[in-house]
Amino acid sequence: MRPPEGHGLLTGKVAVVTAAAGTGIGAAAAERCLLEGAAVVVSDWHERRLGETVERLAAEHGDRVTGIPCDVTDEAQVQQLFTGASVHFGRLDVVINNAGLGGTASILDMTDEQWQRVLDVTLNGTFRCTRAALRLLVEQGQGGAIVNNASVIGWRAQAGQAHYAAAKAGVMAFTRCTALDVAQHGIRVNAVAPSLATHPFLAKVTSEELLAELAGREAFGRAAQPWEVATVMIFLASDYATYLTGEVLSVSSQHP
């Protein structure tokens, strides 16, 4: 399967995508935003990978893409990201909060540090970035869209994932409540909840046996490609979803 062609769904808009370096969902979302006509600020804490991603995307899309490093656990860096994006492109329209951190540990062995790190990146990072973005969007007074990356693990139990599941369930609840806070400003806040999307980083932190088991639960017998999640994110960010807010869309073919 190949990604669909762009249809100008984000033409004239400025998008920020967090955790966009490399080959995962964030990088796919950044590329999809560009294919749909947006100017894009890609961000990641890993500056070398971020630079490589910007270079690769700029080779095709020119000055419609730039990069700003950001660790979403650092409030000062979050502020610099969104201020920098607004200054560079003159406005902000779309934010895709993709930053998240997983890992596997039984609750019997999980340390405070493991729990706090996953929650700080995955849930608190989404909060920090959303807050910074919404303040800019409200000031602009022209609406906008936030798309958060949750996970079906926020709904479905999986051994060894208590910290990640709690964080992603938090992202879902945060999305719903935040949507009500800003609906009066014409700003939409939604989330996607992928089941399994394959990329090299996932293979590094998850066993091949577990990945095969999870893929076997999917109706198509395979994991999603990152672009298959990204296209749903772009739908939520686009004018095709003007009546959707506070929603969490499952990007899954998983059966019980």
Side-chain angles (χ1 to χ4, degrees):
M1 295 181 64
R2 298 183 62 180
E5 298 294 326
H7 294 281
L9 299 185
L10 300 181
T11 297
K13 297 184 183 297
V14 175
V16 171
V17 184
T18 66
T23 58
I25 292 172
E31 186 163 7
R32 192 75 229 172
C33 285
L34 289 162
L35 288 171
E36 296 295 348
V40 179
V41 177
V42 292
S43 182
D44 205 289
W45 69 272
H46 197 294
E47 294 192 34
R48 178 185 59 78
R49 286 204 306 261
L50 178 62
E52 292 170 352
T53 299
V54 172
E55 183 177 1
R56 175 176 60 83
L57 294 174
E60 183 174 356
H61 302 285
D63 60 5
R64 283 198 295 121
V65 59
T66 191
I68 300 177
C70 179
D71 177 347
V72 299
T73 68
D74 186 320
E75 173 63 14
Q77 291 189 41
V78 170
Q79 291 298 324
Q80 289 169 3
L81 168 60
F82 287 96
T83 299
S86 181
V87 169
H88 186 84
F89 285 119
R91 60 179 294 106
L92 179 66
D93 301 284
V94 172
V95 176
I96 296 179
N97 283 314
N98 177 65
L101 180 68
T104 301
S106 166
I107 197 66
L108 297 172
D109 304 314
M110 190 179 295
T111 65
D112 282 9
E113 289 74 21
Q114 286 175 304
W115 174 272
Q116 290 166 358
R117 178 63 178 166
V118 169
L119 268 289
D120 201 19
V121 173
T122 307
L123 178 57
N124 296 344
T126 299
F127 157 68
R128 293 185 190 99
C129 290
T130 300
R131 178 178 60 184
L134 288 175
R135 287 173 175 170
L136 284 172
L137 292 172
V138 168
E139 184 178 351
Q140 283 179 182
Q142 297 178 347
I146 308 286
V147 182
N148 298 322
N149 194 2
S151 170
V152 295
I153 287 180
W155 289 313
R156 303 168 184 168
Q158 185 173 315
Q161 296 294 313
H163 46 1
Y164 188 66
K168 291 300 190 178
V171 169
M172 293 176 176
F174 172 76
T175 297
R176 291 189 288 266
C177 293
T178 301
L180 297 183
D181 285 345
V182 297
Q184 63 184 313
H185 299 285
I187 301 168
R188 298 180 298 104
V189 185
N190 292 291
V192 298
S195 54
L196 180 64
T198 183
H199 54 86
F201 180 75
L202 181 64
K204 292 180 180 179
V205 298
T206 309
S207 69
E208 291 185 8
E209 292 78 13
L210 179 57
L211 289 176
E213 177 188 341
L214 294 173
R217 297 178 188 175
E218 300 289 329
F220 296 123
R222 65 172 179 85
Q225 295 296 313
W227 66 262
E228 293 178 294
V229 179
T231 52
V232 180
M233 289 174 158
I234 270 53
F235 161 71
L236 288 173
S238 78
D239 289 344
Y240 279 104
T242 52
Y243 198 65
L244 273 69
T245 197
E247 296 292 339
V248 180
L249 296 190
S250 175
V251 186
S252 170
S253 68
Q254 192 174 127
H255 53 86

